[in-house]
């Protein structure tokens, strides 16, 4: 495994990040343990989760699964760069959500307990909180760092100007600021190319794309349907909306003799500021297959063809002005 720096930080992470959102709702605890163990065997040291994963209010199901896996010992915690997130509501009470200093303190302590660890490597804001000033946000995060509870701070679903505001506020306090941004980014969803990616590149944030396969649309969906596999109503609607592009894409992947899912991930690794796409395997076979991504070399012609099928954006304002 060739490890990479997360943005401008000195932290070394694998170029694929293990997403854990399926742990609990779709993947059993036993299978989740096996996937995490296999990830370490493959050299993947970067795991992402969130306090709301598991999707039962306040239970933190996924973090608890990871915590019980850590508790087995064997260097599991020490070998893992664990990133978790806060923002979503963990109860019906108003202060058990978003990014107030109070919730940052409570949410961090709760995640540490569930994860059965005494520190979080990357503590991420899951969404922008427009009602909490960044001075309050950074003061709360600094307290956590001084207490040794977190090491780095990241964001998720921030706009470019949110990243700029966050970094300038951190700079005034002589803080390092954000080291990463987790964005919705894939061949079909490329709006972050306008301002988010340029902001991350300028401020030195590592980009961690979520939903890199566009909910499965870029994972060979036509091939799977042809083989009789079922698809959700949502996926069927999205497929009909993008059918022409998906047909061209899968045909091109056939020409490359590569699996569409791995081509989509390999494309992301070629994009500016991207550190590690988040993969969310439900099985060991899916995890093992994802490693093919790191062997795919997309040349300039291949990248140009993908841009032709899925047109992207130039940096703002040139994308829409001069």
């Amino acid at each position: 495994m060739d490890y990479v720096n997360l943005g401008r930080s000195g932290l070394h992470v694998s170029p694929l990040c293990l997403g854990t959102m399926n742990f609990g709702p779709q993947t059993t605890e036993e299978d989740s343990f096996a996937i995490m163990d296999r990830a370490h065997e493959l050299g993947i040291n970067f795991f992402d989760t969130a306090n709301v994963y598991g999707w039962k209010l306040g239970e933190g199901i996924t973090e608890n699964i990871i915590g019980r896996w850590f508790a087995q010992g064997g260097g599991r915690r020490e070998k893992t760069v664990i990133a978790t997130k806060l923002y979503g509501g963990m109860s019906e009470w108003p202060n058990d959500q978003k990014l107030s200093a109070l919730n940052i303190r409570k949410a961090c302590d709760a995640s540490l307990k569930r994860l059965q660890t005494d520190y979080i490597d990357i503590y991420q804001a899951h969404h922008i909180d427009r009602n909490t000033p960044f001075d309050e946000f950074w003061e709360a995060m600094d307290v956590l760092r001084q207490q040794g509870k977190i090491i780095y701070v990241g964001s998720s679903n921030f706009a470019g100007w949110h990243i700029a505001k966050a970094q300038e506020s951190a700079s005034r306090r002589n803080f390092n600021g954000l080291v990463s941004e987790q964005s919705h980014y894939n061949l079909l969803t490329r709006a972050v190319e306008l301002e988010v990616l340029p902001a991350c590149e300028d401020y030195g944030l590592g980009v961690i794309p979520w939903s890199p396969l566009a909910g499965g649309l870029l994972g060979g969906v036509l091939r799977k349907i042809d083989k009789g596999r079922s698809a959700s109503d949502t996926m069927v609607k999205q497929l009909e909306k993008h059918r022409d592009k998906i047909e061209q894409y899968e045909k091109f992947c056939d020409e490359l003799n590569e699996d569409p899912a791995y081509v989509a991930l390999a494309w992301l690794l070629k994009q500016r500021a991207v550190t590690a796409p988040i993969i969310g395997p439900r099985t060991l076979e899916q995890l093992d297959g994802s490693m093919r991504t790191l062997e795919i070399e997309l040349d300039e012609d291949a990248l140009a063809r993908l841009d032709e099928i899925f047109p992207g954006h130039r940096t703002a304002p040139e994308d829409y002005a001069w």
Side-chain angles (χ1 to χ4, degrees), residues 19 32 41 56 75 78 92 124 198 200 220 229 235 247 252:
S32 300
E41 291 173 11
K56 288 188 178 180
E78 292 78 10
E92 299 292 348
Q124 304 163 113
C200 290
R229 299 187 191 179
M235 181 175 286
E247 287 177 348
F252 179 59

Side-chain angles (χ1 to χ4, degrees), residues 193-238:
E193 294 172 350
L194 285 162
E195 298 196 32
V196 174
L197 297 192
C200 290
E201 192 171 43
D202 190 70
Y203 284 106
L205 277 66
V207 176
I208 311 166
W210 61 266
S211 192
L213 304 184
L217 286 178
L218 299 170
V221 62
L222 294 176
R223 301 177 182 187
K224 294 172 183 176
I225 291 175
D226 288 344
K227 292 179 180 177
R229 299 187 191 179
S230 61
S232 67
D233 291 341
T234 300
M235 181 175 286
V236 170
K237 289 179 182 177
Q238 288 298 307

Side-chain angles (χ1 to χ4, degrees), residues 213-286:
L213 304 184
L217 286 178
L218 299 170
V221 62
L222 294 176
R223 301 177 182 187
K224 294 172 183 176
I225 291 175
D226 288 344
K227 292 179 180 177
R229 299 187 191 179
S230 61
S232 67
D233 291 341
T234 300
M235 181 175 286
V236 170
K237 289 179 182 177
Q238 288 298 307
L239 177 57
E240 290 312 307
K241 179 180 178 182
H242 300 290
R243 178 173 284 273
D244 180 59
K245 292 180 179 180
I246 299 301
E247 287 177 348
Q248 293 181 62
Y249 176 61
E250 292 198 15
K251 181 180 179 181
F252 179 59
C253 291
D254 286 338
E255 293 171 10
L256 295 175
N257 197 30
E258 296 288 356
D259 188 289
Y262 311 147
V263 172
L265 292 168
W267 176 83
L268 278 169
L269 288 172
K270 286 283 191 178
Q271 306 312 302
R272 62 197 300 181
V274 168
T275 296
I278 296 175
I279 57 172
R282 293 187 295 275
T283 65
L284 285 172
E285 291 73 23
Q286 290 178 347

Side-chain angles (χ1 to χ4, degrees), residues 21-310:
M21 190 169 65
N22 292 323
F23 294 178
Q26 297 188 46
T27 305
T28 66
E29 182 160 326
E30 180 181 2
D31 288 344
S32 300
F33 282 17
I35 287 171
M36 289 187 282
D37 281 334
R38 181 61 177 153
H40 274 185
E41 291 173 11
L42 294 170
I44 296 174
N45 73 334
F46 191 14
F47 294 8
D48 176 75
T49 191
N51 58 358
V52 294
Y53 288 173
W55 311 115
K56 288 188 178 180
L57 187 65
E59 294 191 19
I61 292 171
T62 303
E63 284 189 334
N64 276 312
I65 289 173
I66 297 170
R68 288 189 286 271
W69 180 73
F70 282 155
Q72 294 179 99
R76 287 174 172 84
R77 175 64 187 97
E78 292 78 10
K79 295 174 184 176
T80 303
V81 174
I82 187 69
T84 192
K85 300 183 284 290
L86 82 150
Y87 177 88
M90 293 299 283
S91 82
E92 299 292 348
W93 290 91
N95 289 313
D96 288 342
Q97 59 184 311
K98 300 189 177 180
L99 303 180
S100 69
L102 175 60
N103 189 48
I104 287 173
R105 174 180 175 174
K106 292 184 354 183
C108 182
D109 285 344
S111 284
L112 289 170
K113 183 176 181 180
R114 286 189 291 267
L115 290 168
Q116 299 194 46
T117 185
D118 55 5
Y119 70 99
I120 294 164
D121 296 285
I122 310 166
Y123 201 35
Q124 304 163 113
H126 209 161
H127 195 278
I128 187 68
D129 180 358
R130 294 177 175 84
N131 294 319
T132 298
F134 277 112
D135 283 344
E136 178 178 345
F137 173 82
W138 284 122
E139 182 176 10
M141 290 296 184
D142 187 44
V143 169
L144 295 181
R145 286 193 65 185
Q146 291 181 29
Q147 293 173 336
K149 295 178 179 179
I150 67 171
I151 299 177
Y152 299 98
V153 180
S155 61
S156 181
N157 304 307
F158 275 29
W161 70 277
H162 296 141
I163 291 169
K165 285 192 69 175
Q167 298 305 77
E168 295 307 316
S169 174
S171 179
R172 289 194 297 271
R173 304 176 71 92
N174 294 317
F175 294 168
N176 285 332
L178 303 170
V179 298
S180 61
E181 158 61 21
Q182 212 177 107
S183 288
H184 189 193
Y185 188 30
N186 55 58
L187 278 163
L188 270 170
T189 306
R190 299 180 59 170
V192 293
E193 294 172 350
L194 285 162
E195 298 196 32
V196 174
L197 297 192
C200 290
E201 192 171 43
D202 190 70
Y203 284 106
L205 277 66
V207 176
I208 311 166
W210 61 266
S211 192
L213 304 184
L217 286 178
L218 299 170
V221 62
L222 294 176
R223 301 177 182 187
K224 294 172 183 176
I225 291 175
D226 288 344
K227 292 179 180 177
R229 299 187 191 179
S230 61
S232 67
D233 291 341
T234 300
M235 181 175 286
V236 170
K237 289 179 182 177
Q238 288 298 307
L239 177 57
E240 290 312 307
K241 179 180 178 182
H242 300 290
R243 178 173 284 273
D244 180 59
K245 292 180 179 180
I246 299 301
E247 287 177 348
Q248 293 181 62
Y249 176 61
E250 292 198 15
K251 181 180 179 181
F252 179 59
C253 291
D254 286 338
E255 293 171 10
L256 295 175
N257 197 30
E258 296 288 356
D259 188 289
Y262 311 147
V263 172
L265 292 168
W267 176 83
L268 278 169
L269 288 172
K270 286 283 191 178
Q271 306 312 302
R272 62 197 300 181
V274 168
T275 296
I278 296 175
I279 57 172
R282 293 187 295 275
T283 65
L284 285 172
E285 291 73 23
Q286 290 178 347
L287 175 60
D288 287 341
S290 297
M291 300 305 291
R292 173 60 188 159
T293 300
L294 305 179
E295 301 172 359
I296 296 175
E297 288 292 337
L298 297 174
D299 60 22
E300 292 303 317
D301 289 340
L303 293 171
R305 177 61 180 137
L306 290 170
D307 281 338
E308 189 178 296
I309 298 171
F310 302 104

